Amino acid sequence: MNTQRHKSSSLNQSNNYETTSTATAFSAADENLHSKPARLQAPGLVLLAGLAVAALAFSTTLFPWVQAHVNGVLGEQNLDINGSQAAPAVSALAMVALAAPLAARIAPQLLRYVIAFVSLGSGAGIIFSALSVVMNPADAVVTETSKVTGTVASTGAYAVTVWPWISCISGFLIMCVGLWTLVVARHWQGGRKYDRTVRNMQEAPGEVDNMDAWDLLSRGEDPTAEK
């Protein structure tokens, strides 16, 4: 009888151990499943991605986009025209896209969405400008070729390099980061300035100056509401 009881107790302990182990495994798997979206929502990751693709877009303008073979006053000449000359808008839009993730990180929630749309617009503008050079390189570089030919006529042979296409890809990636920011920005905590404003409002709910009221409005909160 004692032997049967001992076997029954051992069997129960074994079942409890297996149940506990299974529950622990499922819990760990569930934590890993939920931690992955949390990592994708990290502002630092979005910030680094935004800076990287914007830097890529800007760097493409430093290389030749169009190779032109024209007849100048000194005879035939070969010209390498950089992206900053063929599509100056790309450089400007890349700088905007470079500043956008930095601004979004410290901005209140409402402005983050505005900055995200600015990133989307910057990426779209880069794609449009780069494709304009690809579709019509002669008109894109006429300002530079006219310094050699003495005329604005599109004469000569023009070859487009790979860099405008890389610029298009970087513009698309900038748009992806802007869309990414739109999705995850609501999970970010506000900057120190805005957190301090809310803390001061909670400590002194009856005292609201103009700057505090403006900060609360920018966060989408009612400064006249009682805390």
Side-chain angles (χ1 to χ4, degrees):
M1 179 67 72
N2 292 333
T3 302
Q4 291 179 351
R5 290 179 179 176
H6 179 71
K7 290 181 178 180
S8 177
S9 177
S10 300
L11 182 60
N12 290 334
Q13 290 179 356
S14 177
N15 290 336
N16 291 336
Y17 177 77
E18 291 178 359
T19 303
T20 303
S21 300
T22 303
T24 303
F26 276 112
S27 177
D30 186 66
E31 290 179 359
N32 292 332
L33 186 62
H34 285 82
S35 64
K36 290 180 180 179
R39 295 192 195 104
L40 293 177
Q41 295 170 4
L45 183 60
V46 180
L47 174 64
L48 290 176
L51 293 177
V53 295
L56 174 62
F58 183 82
S59 65
T60 60
T61 64
L62 304 178
F63 297 94
W65 279 29
V66 179
Q67 295 174 337
H69 181 77
V70 296
N71 293 318
V73 293
L74 300 178
E76 295 183 353
Q77 297 188 39
N78 294 318
L79 302 177
D80 289 334
I81 295 121
N82 292 340
S84 58
Q85 299 169 317
V90 172
S91 300
L93 291 171
M95 293 302 294
V96 173
L98 193 65
L102 296 172
R105 182 63 188 92
I106 62 175
Q109 183 172 352
L110 183 61
L111 289 181
R112 289 173 192 160
Y113 296 122
V114 176
I115 294 170
F117 279 111
V118 171
S119 294
L120 287 170
S122 299
I126 289 173
I127 294 174
F128 177 80
S129 298
L131 287 179
S132 297
V133 175
V134 173
M135 300 301 294
N136 196 346
D139 287 348
V141 301
V142 65
T143 302
E144 299 301 321
T145 56
S146 64
K147 297 176 183 178
V148 176
T149 62
T151 177
V152 294
S154 299
T155 58
Y158 303 88
V160 178
T161 66
V162 70
W163 292 107
W165 295 109
I166 298 178
S167 184
C168 287
I169 295 173
S170 65
F172 173 75
L173 294 177
I174 289 173
M175 294 183 68
C176 291
V177 172
L179 184 60
W180 186 7
T181 304
L182 278 176
V183 174
V184 304
R186 61 188 178 90
H187 299 288
W188 298 352
Q189 295 181 353
R192 295 179 180 177
K193 173 178 179 291
Y194 302 96
D195 291 339
R196 185 170 61 251
T197 299
V198 173
R199 185 168 60 251
N200 292 339
M201 290 294 297
Q202 292 174 346
E203 294 174 353
E207 301 176 3
V208 183
D209 59 21
N210 292 334
M211 291 302 298
D212 288 341
W214 177 258
D215 290 337
L216 289 175
L217 284 173
S218 65
R219 290 170 61 90
E221 300 178 8
D222 184 3
T224 62
E226 295 184 359
K227 302 293 183 180

